[in-house]
Amino acid sequence: MITNVVLVLVTIAIITLIGSDNIYLSPKGNETVCLIAYLCLTCLFVTYFYKRISIKETTDVASSTLFGGLLLVWSAIGFFFTVNLDDSLPFIVKYLGALSWLLALTFYLDSEARIYETLWLLLLLSIPLSIVALIQQYDLSALRYHEDHSSTSIFIQMNLFSCYLVFIAPIAILLFFKSINKVQKILAACAFLLLIPALGFSGSPGGQFT
């Protein structure tokens, strides 16, 4: 069980910190895609077999789920029929990695506690990313990346960062109102108050309007 939880949570952290085209790590695109796809596929196998062991019986797959999975796999395989396969291969790996991750989450998020555990991880990861965006506003900061004074945290582009913040904002609000613990409420409130100025400093009109 511990291996199952740790693997999924580590994968979420890696997708956030590396899959965002981290401007400070400068990873090679194809290597990053393959790493994340491999982790997602590993999560799928681990969560599936743990699910089978935990319920001690064969896990039946709904026909609609099976049909949807086969449709997505066929869509990914369709990239092989493109004229330039070298350019299409990263998209195939991304597509299959995303499919593996989606299926892994369906096996992993089998209780309300797991769902809130995952949401808290996403929210806590947003706190240092928002802080980095705020620090980037200082001209002498070693974290400055863009010359136009826009803050993108570790993301390579302002719109990607703003989309990330817009995704996290409702999670912060949900956890604030759902939490009974006072410390958790304070954490959720701090995360929300940090991402608001970070969104403003991103310079993304679309994100700010949303």
Side-chain angles (χ1 to χ4, degrees), residues 137-168:
Q137 284 298 301
Y138 294 92
D139 292 331
L140 299 179
S141 171
L143 297 177
R144 172 163 290 285
Y145 182 77
H146 298 284
E147 296 299 330
D148 59 355
H149 295 276
S150 62
S151 295
T152 61
S153 189
I154 65 173
F155 294 80
I156 197 169
Q157 211 264 350
M158 66 174 70
N159 292 325
L160 295 177
F161 180 49
S162 65
C163 287
Y164 169 75
L165 294 177
V166 169
F167 169 75
I168 295 295

Side-chain angles (χ1 to χ4, degrees), residues 31-206:
E31 293 179 1
T32 302
V33 170
C34 291
L35 171 63
I36 294 177
Y38 171 77
L39 286 173
C40 293
L41 187 60
T42 303
C43 281
L44 174 58
F45 283 114
V46 171
T47 53
Y48 174 73
F49 285 113
Y50 173 76
K51 185 75 172 179
R52 291 192 61 177
I53 292 173
S54 64
I55 61 179
K56 296 181 180 180
E57 62 182 23
T58 303
T59 302
D60 294 328
V61 180
S63 58
S64 58
T65 302
L66 180 61
F67 177 77
L70 291 175
L71 180 63
L72 291 173
V73 170
W74 175 252
S75 299
I77 294 176
F79 284 107
F80 280 110
F81 299 100
T82 59
V83 176
N84 194 337
L85 184 58
D86 291 336
D87 292 336
S88 300
L89 189 58
F91 293 99
I92 299 172
V93 177
K94 283 183 180 180
Y95 210 100
L96 294 178
L99 174 61
S100 300
W101 181 238
L102 177 62
L103 293 175
L105 288 179
T106 61
F107 293 123
Y108 178 75
L109 300 176
D110 57 357
S111 66
E112 187 174 326
R114 284 276 177 87
I115 294 174
Y116 280 109
E117 175 185 89
T118 304
L119 292 178
W120 270 111
L121 175 63
L122 291 171
L123 185 64
L124 292 176
L125 284 171
S126 73
I127 293 177
L129 298 185
S130 296
I131 292 175
V132 169
L134 298 180
I135 296 176
Q136 286 175 337
Q137 284 298 301
Y138 294 92
D139 292 331
L140 299 179
S141 171
L143 297 177
R144 172 163 290 285
Y145 182 77
H146 298 284
E147 296 299 330
D148 59 355
H149 295 276
S150 62
S151 295
T152 61
S153 189
I154 65 173
F155 294 80
I156 197 169
Q157 211 264 350
M158 66 174 70
N159 292 325
L160 295 177
F161 180 49
S162 65
C163 287
Y164 169 75
L165 294 177
V166 169
F167 169 75
I168 295 295
I171 296 178
I173 296 173
L174 172 67
L175 294 178
F176 177 81
F177 287 105
K178 284 288 187 179
S179 299
I180 301 176
N181 188 294
K182 186 176 180 180
V183 175
Q184 292 179 338
K185 280 187 174 292
I186 293 175
L187 278 174
C190 289
F192 184 78
L193 292 175
L194 283 171
L195 67 86
I196 293 301
L199 181 59
F201 289 142
S202 70
S204 172

Side-chain angles (χ1 to χ4, degrees), residues 14-28:
I14 290 177
I15 290 175
T16 303
L17 300 176
I18 299 179
S20 57
D21 291 331
N22 194 311
I23 58 177
Y24 300 112
L25 296 180
S26 299
K28 295 181 179 179

